[in-house]
Amino acid sequence: MIKNKGYMGKILVVDLTSGEIREETLPDAVYEKHLGGLGLAAHILYARIPAGADPLGPDNMLAFVPGLLTGTGSLFTGRWMVAGKSPLTGGWGDANCGGTFAPEIKRCGYDGIFIKGISEKPVYLYVDDHTRELRDASTVWGLDTVEAEEYLETHAKEKGKKPKVVCIGPAGEKLSLISGISTDKGRMAARSGLGAVMGSKRLKAVVLSGQKRIGAHDRNEMKRLSRMCNKWVQFQPPFVTGPMTAFVGALLRVMPTVLTQDGMLYKILLKKWGTVSMNQMSPEMGDSPIKNWKGSSRDWGFRKSYSTNPDVFKNCEIVKFHCYSCPLGCGGICTMDDKYTHTHKPEYETVLSLGGFCMNQDVKGIFYLNELLNRAGMDTISAGHAVAFALECYEEGIITRKDTDGLDLTWGNAEAIVALVEKMVKREGFGHVLADGVKQAALRIGKGAEAFAVLAGGQEPAMHDSRNDPGFALHYSVEPTPGRHTLGSHLYYEMYQLWKVVKGIPKIPPMYLKGSKYKNPEKQAAIGAANSRFMTLVNCTGACLFASFLGAKRFPLFDWMNAANGWQLTPNDYMDLAGDIHTIKQSFNVKHGIEPKDCKISDRALGRPLQTEGANKGRSIDIEAMMTHYWEQFGWDGRTGKPSPETMKRLDGGV
Amino acid sequence: MAYFITETCNGCTSCARLCPAGAIQGEKKNRHVIDLGLCIECGACGRICPQSALQDPTGRAVQSVKKQFWAKPVFNHKTCMACGICINACPAGCLKPGEPSRKDKNAYPELADPGACLSCGFCADECPVEAVTLEAPPEAMAKAG
């Protein structure tokens, strides 16, 4: 049976405690209201995770969801998400990942796999068209993510096509609060510490091998839209060399005015190099936090960042890596001559967090650490943060060689950084102190170390400086998943070009003064709310953030949703639905005792005290006003950030 | 909807062995049955059945075709985006990413296991840019004149 909708209409619910596995059929109304992907996960987890549940206990539920548009003939919609209550922040946690796993959930016939309970012994979940069972995972427990995936690919299924695997590594098994979930041998759903949730359930992996067809209401229309979108993706004029990107960044820094960014420029960079195209451009622009948010673009100038210039990565890339249904292919597989021979091309976030953020110029070490962390299943952004935090504590004399097992943790000491991450991954000695992220490390070290911890709601923010773009400051602070860079910023808003299709949201002029971004918190909040709504839609459909940079006219997300499901909603209708889904996530946080006010990002990242040099000199953010206006955009209480009790009651209609 | 096995079936089992979804059940020498919930409408059973005992979802009888004449996917690298949709769509798992060239680092799909190809055309169906076409193997056609 093939449905003429983009969704399959069923979910799989697994209880590891009792071993029960059952299918649930969901009514169409659920999809019409919550779409799919992240929206579906929010709807079900909000109703089914009891208040006060221990994130590492049996009551927490882990959801694996593909997108509403995955496999319907649309492009860029091959991303899956994992969601649950985060042990890192104590509230809503989700992580997004690409690779080739997303369509497999649908091919098994489900719009989501929901896993609760705790297994006595290590197990993995195996699902195909005939079998749904929990199998003993004692042979793969303890293996790293690449070894485990290779073993399960060959041993879980006897014949036919290879199954798709998501698994945790040793970091997740050891309940590191900054561990993630891996697929395709090193693509990570890394944030929110959900690897620890999977580890606490003693669930090593989920292995899927389905054959079902994924439907669409009007596949020809889907394809027509895809071809239109693809035209823009394939447009690739010749572009400068890697190090020259630094000059583009420097130009953006010194200009008092900003030309509103069209995402096509970024698309061209991504297609040529991937996210590493920003390795030199971002620090020059002031978009990269340096030296644990203390430094500036002056500390990480052209010469320092040169060792990680984009061409270094392009030159050792042997094949491009495309996520499912992606015509762009920003990823890649690189060769390296180290303990490991191959690694996924390190992303910009990884290179910066283990590079400039720690003042580390050793590119070989970054390659090695990238593969080491991928195999361990640990988040590179949080790991880089933890290392930089330790470096600063060492500099300040709060910790000494005695505490660090003899490591000389000076800024940029490549050998010490590699040794420290190796310890973190194994949870040995001083590594144990850092293995649960900065928040826990600050508590364990004490002695006033928390002054150097830059956090948003317990999560380490990403490698985009909030002083350079107030949008990042806002989203780091107000999102139900704080500290995340993939949800919105002023720059993203320019690239989304949403005002071209959605009515009633602020329009950005083709050119504006840099300083204007820091004024008018009300407008910034309206921009932020539109960003949040749109990114919620992107995460519901399984679409990719980078694709949405193409702009709403070139990336026809709203039209795809209509064509895939036979709906006739306007972009504004979808934005309203997204607002409700966003409210569910916020209600989840409130239900679990999170105070939205407390998720505000640390002062250092807000320009308090002001930076005295570099790209963000003298920049500070009036975050409190922006937060209030943002919350009011969704009809929440402007003082506390909480949805009203009536709203929460209305949403609590569980399924 | 699904394919349907008529009473012409003599239980030779060739369709059950070929079905990629494992949707066909039956004893040897007895009429086989297709599970509606599992059938993915790839039509391999109809193409292989020596008795032409299959009806497609619209109720039409399906003509069997000699396996050497089954059309196989051909990829047009000029329009192909290397997005992997076809590789994922293939129920037989016979497509794989090919080797990148020195000039172009994309791994374009290729038919890695022609013997396993069911000629279902899902790869061509799902390709958004129509870079996949199904063509009968020219050498087999040449032999047959």
Side-chain angles (χ1 to χ4, degrees):
Chain A
M1 290 292 284
I2 303 170
K3 253 181 132 69
N4 64 345
K5 302 274 182 198
Y7 51 87
M8 312 304 281
K10 282 183 194 162
I11 57 169
L12 188 71
V13 182
V14 180
D15 186 342
L16 293 169
T17 309
S18 64
E20 183 200 14
I21 302 178
R22 61 192 166 84
E23 274 185 6
E24 282 182 31
T25 305
L26 300 180
D28 287 355
V30 169
Y31 297 94
E32 282 155 19
K33 205 163 156 225
H34 304 289
L35 305 173
L38 189 65
L40 182 69
H43 169 59
I44 289 186
L45 298 187
Y46 178 61
R48 298 193 193 187
I49 300 179
D54 174 6
L56 300 178
D59 288 339
N60 195 4
M61 205 172 203
L62 201 58
F64 293 91
V65 283
L68 175 70
L69 292 179
T70 302
T72 55
S74 51
L75 295 180
F76 291 111
T77 45
R79 301 198 62 91
W80 56 278
M81 291 198 87
V82 55
K85 184 174 176 177
S86 164
L88 190 63
T89 64
W92 175 261
D94 60 38
N96 182 301
C97 183
T100 53
F101 180 75
E104 214 61 24
I105 308 177
K106 280 188 158 177
R107 298 237 179 253
C108 287
Y110 306 113
D111 297 305
I113 297 177
F114 294 81
I115 301 169
K116 64 181 176 192
I118 284 185
S119 164
E120 264 179 50
K121 290 197 212 75
V123 288
Y124 71 89
L125 173 70
Y126 178 80
V127 181
D128 67 16
D129 293 332
H130 304 271
T131 324
R132 296 196 299 263
E133 58 188 16
L134 293 165
R135 294 180 180 172
D136 174 43
S138 51
T139 43
V140 283
W141 194 259
L143 295 185
D144 71 35
T145 55
V146 176
E147 292 164 346
E149 188 171 335
E150 279 171 351
Y151 181 91
L152 291 169
E153 265 185 348
T154 45
H155 290 78
K157 193 177 164 109
E158 292 96 46
K159 60 179 195 101
K161 63 176 194 179
K162 273 187 182 171
K164 302 283 182 208
V165 180
V166 290
C167 63
I168 51 170
E173 292 172 16
K174 293 187 176 126
L175 308 186
S176 157
L177 299 187
I178 52 171
S179 59
I181 299 167
S182 157
T183 182
D184 284 275
K185 303 183 180 77
R187 310 289 304 182
M188 297 279 295
R191 311 236 63 196
S192 292
L194 293 171
V197 176
M198 201 159 155
S200 71
K201 296 191 176 313
R202 296 196 189 89
L203 178 71
K204 177 67 181 179
V206 176
V207 184
L208 306 179
S209 178
Q211 297 284 26
K212 294 206 166 34
R213 306 286 318 276
I214 302 165
H217 177 78
D218 185 350
R219 197 172 276 272
N220 286 338
E221 175 66 2
M222 297 297 292
K223 288 186 184 182
R224 188 188 67 78
L225 292 164
S226 293
R227 283 196 291 277
M228 183 279 292
C229 175
N230 185 44
K231 268 197 197 116
W232 291 103
V233 178
Q234 301 305 337
F235 172 73
Q236 186 76 358
F239 202 71
V240 293
T241 63
M244 278 174 80
T245 54
F247 294 104
V248 177
L251 188 70
L252 292 170
R253 182 183 71 231
V254 297
M255 274 169 54
T257 53
V258 183
L259 290 168
T260 296
Q261 280 288 321
D262 186 301
M264 281 305 282
L265 169 71
Y266 193 48
K267 193 282 309 179
I268 292 162
L269 292 168
L270 276 176
K271 198 164 160 64
K272 181 160 178 164
W273 287 291
T275 55
V276 288
S277 58
M278 305 306 283
N279 287 356
Q280 287 202 280
M281 198 164 150
S282 268
E284 288 297 330
M285 265 158 62
D287 175 49
S288 307
I290 303 297
K291 214 174 171 179
N292 199 23
W293 297 81
K294 195 171 62 169
S296 71
S297 54
R298 285 278 179 90
D299 299 293
W300 197 249
F302 176 79
R303 282 196 179 82
K304 284 236 166 85
S305 61
Y306 184 76
S307 65
T308 54
N309 84 67
D311 287 341
V312 171
F313 298 84
K314 195 170 187 290
N315 292 342
C316 64
E317 183 180 45
I318 47 171
V319 59
K320 286 199 171 293
F321 181 92
H322 292 246
C323 297
Y324 171 77
S325 76
C326 170
L328 193 142
C330 72
I333 306 292
C334 292
T335 51
M336 52 198 255
D337 54 344
D338 209 311
K339 184 177 162 191
Y340 306 114
T341 52
H342 293 83
T343 183
H344 271 275
K345 185 166 62 182
E347 301 289 342
Y348 156 81
E349 299 287 331
T350 306
V351 175
L352 244 293
S353 69
L354 297 163
F357 202 61
C358 304
M359 304 295 287
N360 172 19
Q361 294 185 58
D362 171 30
V363 70
K364 197 176 162 193
I366 289 171
F367 268 103
Y368 169 70
L369 290 179
N370 178 60
E371 184 62 9
L372 182 77
L373 288 163
N374 283 352
R375 283 173 176 258
M378 196 182 260
D379 178 11
T380 53
I381 299 175
S382 294
H385 255 273
V387 171
F389 171 72
L391 297 177
E392 189 165 358
C393 287
Y394 187 83
E395 184 185 43
E396 298 288 336
I398 290 176
I399 51 174
T400 59
R401 272 186 188 234
K402 210 164 60 193
D403 304 301
T404 64
D405 312 330
L407 293 175
D408 179 28
L409 295 181
T410 46
W411 290 108
N413 182 348
E415 265 175 49
I417 289 169
V418 168
L420 184 59
V421 176
E422 282 177 335
K423 281 178 181 292
M424 279 167 64
V425 164
K426 293 185 192 138
R427 261 195 196 276
E428 282 173 356
F430 186 60
H432 166 72
V433 175
L434 302 177
D436 293 319
V438 173
K439 188 180 173 182
Q440 295 300 323
L443 291 171
R444 286 169 191 165
I445 292 171
K447 302 179 206 168
E450 61 274 8
F452 314 119
V454 177
L455 292 164
Q459 168 98 268
E460 297 80 1
M463 294 296 120
H464 295 279
D465 200 322
S466 34
R467 291 161 296 203
N468 189 56
D469 187 332
F472 280 121
L474 179 68
H475 289 277
Y476 285 157
S477 304
V478 292
E479 289 281 347
T481 45
R484 303 285 279 277
H485 65 290
T486 48
L487 297 162
S489 73
H490 196 283
L491 173 71
Y492 291 0
Y493 188 73
E494 291 170 27
M495 297 200 279
Y496 295 157
Q497 298 176 356
L498 276 179
W499 59 85
K500 291 186 176 173
V501 294
V502 177
K503 294 184 183 79
I505 55 171
K507 191 171 179 238
I508 307 285
M511 198 180 207
Y512 59 89
L513 283 169
K514 242 183 217 171
S516 67
K517 278 193 297 196
Y518 296 84
K519 300 177 184 123
N520 198 349
E522 209 163 341
K523 185 183 171 188
Q524 294 304 322
I527 288 174
N531 274 338
S532 292
R533 286 171 199 261
F534 183 62
M535 260 331 275
T536 297
L537 289 175
V538 167
N539 287 332
C540 287
T541 51
C544 171
L545 170 74
F546 298 155
S548 54
F549 290 165
L550 286 168
K553 282 268 189 203
R554 303 180 190 124
F555 177 63
L557 190 70
F558 301 106
D559 299 343
W560 265 329
M561 279 193 272
N562 283 339
N565 299 294
W567 298 335
Q568 278 149 358
L569 299 177
T570 64
N572 280 68
D573 295 340
Y574 281 116
M575 293 291 268
D576 291 344
L577 286 177
D580 283 346
I581 293 165
H582 203 59
T583 303
I584 296 179
K585 287 184 285 174
Q586 187 76 346
S587 304
F588 182 97
N589 279 356
V590 174
K591 177 177 169 180
H592 290 270
I594 300 284
E595 280 289 340
K597 286 202 303 290
D598 300 343
C599 293
K600 191 175 74 181
I601 191 166
S602 308
D603 282 350
R604 196 185 269 189
L606 294 166
R608 304 170 187 175
L610 293 175
Q611 287 213 302
T612 51
E613 59 174 15
N616 302 318
K617 183 180 166 183
R619 299 258 184 238
S620 77
I621 313 284
D622 181 9
I623 190 76
E624 288 80 7
M626 279 204 302
M627 284 166 85
T628 296
H629 288 304
Y630 175 93
W631 288 330
E632 284 169 349
Q633 290 273 337
F634 292 94
W636 308 340
D637 186 327
R639 285 167 303 119
T640 60
K642 295 178 180 180
S644 68
E646 296 80 56
T647 308
M648 286 178 56
K649 211 170 192 158
R650 181 170 60 85
L651 297 170
D652 210 357
V655 275
Chain B
M1 300 302 286
Y3 275 70
F4 176 75
I5 300 178
T6 58
E7 64 267 20
T8 327
C9 167
N10 64 1
C12 78
T13 74
S14 49
C15 61
R17 277 181 284 134
L18 191 67
C19 176
I24 306 179
Q25 298 296 325
E27 296 289 318
K28 210 169 175 177
K29 297 193 177 167
N30 285 317
R31 184 174 161 189
H32 281 42
V33 179
I34 296 183
D35 184 325
L36 284 176
L38 290 176
C39 174
I40 54 171
E41 300 176 20
C42 69
C45 47
R47 276 185 290 279
I48 197 81
C49 177
Q51 304 298 321
S52 294
L54 271 289
Q55 282 180 357
D56 72 9
T58 58
R60 286 200 198 99
V62 186
Q63 281 302 313
S64 64
V65 184
K66 272 204 171 128
K67 210 170 173 185
Q68 74 219 51
F69 297 130
W70 286 11
K72 300 207 179 348
V74 176
F75 301 93
N76 177 353
H77 286 194
K78 278 205 179 96
T79 46
C80 173
M81 315 172 286
C83 75
I85 285 181
C86 54
I87 296 175
N88 181 275
C90 175
C94 61
L95 305 181
K96 296 231 161 38
E99 287 299 313
S101 64
R102 189 172 295 182
K103 258 185 155 175
D104 188 343
K105 292 274 188 285
N106 288 306
Y108 294 107
E110 57 181 32
L111 182 56
D113 188 355
C117 173
L118 302 168
S119 192
C120 67
F122 290 172
C123 47
D125 269 353
E126 293 204 15
C127 176
V129 292
E130 285 159 13
V132 191
T133 43
L134 256 65
E135 291 170 24
E139 59 277 15
M141 298 309 276
K143 247 191 221 167

